[in-house]
Amino acid sequence: MKNIEKIVQKYTDLVVKAEKDLWNMPETGFFEYKTNDYMIKAFEKMGYELTKAENITGFYTVVDTGKPGPTVLVLAELDALICPTHPECDKETGAVHCCGHHAQCAAMLGIASALKEKEVLEGLCGKIKLCVVPAEEGIEQSRRKELVKQGIIQYLSGKSEFIRRGYFNDVDVALMFHASPNAPAGVKFGTVLGHNGVIRKRTTFHGKSAHAGSSPHNGINALNAATAANMTINSLRETFKEEDKIRIHSIITKGGSSVNAVPDEIIVESYIRGASVKALKETNVKVNRVIASCAAAFGANATVEDVPGSEPMHDNLDLINCVKEVVEGLYGEGSLKQGGFLSSSTDMGDVSVLFPAVHGYAYGASGASHGKDYYIADPINVCVNSAVVQVCLIRNLLSNDAEKAKKVMANYKPQFNSINEFVAHKNSVIKDKTMVTYNDNGTIKLDF
């Protein structure tokens, strides 16, 4: 592995420069035009032929070893976050790479460079698919829904959209490494057992406006209905099982138009997170039941728009062991931290329900993830060493007639047995319905 490390290190200047360049061009999901163009030019300069995503950002290329075998997918994410308080954010958009996706792209250039070296591919079989993918962060839902209305995308996350389009149809094993802060002493890389999945909700509570001082009795207070729903959802928490890792969090994006008027429209955006597909669906029904009931209690109504977010990510244990073997082989015992199941979410989960996948971490960021003090403090580890690990992991999987990749594949049980089944599940989550029907005979029907 040390010879592979030396090969990747030849491209240190290229990788470190890319990290700095990409840091200065932060863009949000599906709109990463400058970032995408930078990566395309870098790949084409190396001589790669690219398959570009139609109508959106992102692309992939395939490195064929010339011998039959599995296909290993290696991913890097293009998008940034919105954090207007970060001192180095884009002053016009508030966008900044405070999750470190730009560092993944820089590492990807190191991987792509190394794979052009004959020695790196020697003894391997199968194919390596290098993919630069948009829109991991679950932000700007309204902006993305406009793309849905235009027929450009169907799903709001990049990886699920790529899966729907068939870009991953030939994949057997998948891997990705993410920048991470707060490294314990002596630790360079990390793995975890998984991440929560998420359903994204937009609820509009409909009331009736009236003068808030002289005639509030003539109105229907949508804010009261929304507040009651939020409090009641909080009261559901004791019904959640520990192993389901349920998290529900909301913000009010429209809270009324005038303090002197009874609020007639309140908009709430929410995430429901959970560790399994079953737990997510069950919790979503509970939440929708509360929304419908609280709207009806005030004579109001509610419209719920549910869209699928990321599926629960369960890192493949065989792949975790492969990462451990590679990292400790390169950097010694104790250089890898193995963690538990995280309640945050990643659309790498969409990959993991179809193929064995691992979502590793490269330490070397500083500050808080998604925060105003986030930076890449150690680009050598986060970018260069990350590229080294990923190239060595590819070799670990595809050498010896892909013995380890085939073992990973044989032991893996997918959540969905086909892309069509995956798409059908995603579509089953989509909802846009009015929750309360008021009948002429005075009865009420709740639809949740």
Side-chain angles (χ1 to χ4, degrees), residues 229-246:
N230 187 54
M231 293 173 63
T232 308
I233 289 167
N234 286 338
S235 298
L236 289 174
R237 295 181 190 279
E238 67 182 26
T239 71
F240 302 150
K241 292 180 284 188
E242 293 294 329
E243 62 266 28
D244 289 338
K245 303 282 186 183
I246 299 298

Side-chain angles (χ1 to χ4, degrees), residues 4 8 60 143-144 176 243 264 275-276 293 349 381 400 427:
I4 300 299
V8 176
Y60 66 84
R143 193 182 189 195
R144 296 184 190 186
M176 189 181 74
E243 62 266 28
D264 64 345
S276 72
S293 301
N381 197 63
N400 298 319
N427 292 343

Side-chain angles (χ1 to χ4, degrees), residues 393-407:
L393 187 53
I394 292 166
R395 286 192 55 81
N396 184 284
L397 291 166
L398 295 181
S399 60
N400 298 319
D401 194 33
E403 177 183 0
K404 288 187 178 174
K406 289 175 181 177
K407 177 186 174 184

Side-chain angles (χ1 to χ4, degrees), residues 178-200:
H178 198 293
S180 182
N182 308 318
V187 174
K188 289 181 173 289
F189 291 88
T191 57
V192 296
L193 295 179
H195 294 74
N196 269 345
V198 61
I199 293 174
R200 299 168 183 152

Side-chain angles (χ1 to χ4, degrees), residues 112-135:
S113 299
L115 289 174
K116 283 292 182 180
E117 303 260 358
K118 182 179 179 181
E119 184 180 348
V120 173
L121 296 179
E122 195 172 308
L124 302 187
C125 68
K127 298 176 182 178
I128 304 109
K129 176 172 278 192
L130 305 180
C131 181
V132 177
V133 66

Side-chain angles (χ1 to χ4, degrees), residues 127-275:
K127 298 176 182 178
I128 304 109
K129 176 172 278 192
L130 305 180
C131 181
V132 177
V133 66
E136 188 274 334
E137 301 293 353
I139 62 174
E140 298 185 316
Q141 291 187 49
S142 297
R143 193 182 189 195
R144 296 184 190 186
K145 285 179 180 178
E146 284 301 313
L147 297 180
V148 175
K149 289 179 182 178
Q150 295 168 29
I152 295 173
I153 61 173
Q154 185 169 324
Y155 302 130
L156 304 190
S157 293
K159 295 184 191 66
S160 54
E161 183 64 20
F162 271 38
I163 290 168
R164 182 190 72 83
R165 292 175 177 219
Y167 297 164
F168 298 164
N169 281 1
D170 57 346
V171 169
D172 295 299
V173 178
L175 61 100
M176 189 181 74
F177 278 75
H178 198 293
S180 182
N182 308 318
V187 174
K188 289 181 173 289
F189 291 88
T191 57
V192 296
L193 295 179
H195 294 74
N196 269 345
V198 61
I199 293 174
R200 299 168 183 152
K201 303 181 70 67
R202 186 178 189 268
T203 305
T204 304
F205 290 89
H206 308 280
K208 180 182 176 183
S209 187
H211 195 291
S214 63
S215 55
H217 52 280
N218 290 329
I220 297 173
N221 195 314
L223 180 59
N224 286 347
T227 301
N230 187 54
M231 293 173 63
T232 308
I233 289 167
N234 286 338
S235 298
L236 289 174
R237 295 181 190 279
E238 67 182 26
T239 71
F240 302 150
K241 292 180 284 188
E242 293 294 329
E243 62 266 28
D244 289 338
K245 303 282 186 183
I246 299 298
R247 300 287 188 275
I248 303 173
H249 46 98
S250 305
I251 60 170
I252 295 177
T253 58
K254 182 178 180 181
S257 303
S258 171
V259 71
N260 202 29
V262 173
D264 64 345
E265 184 178 78
I266 303 298
I267 299 176
V268 181
E269 292 193 7
S270 312
Y271 276 10
I272 297 175
R273 302 185 195 258

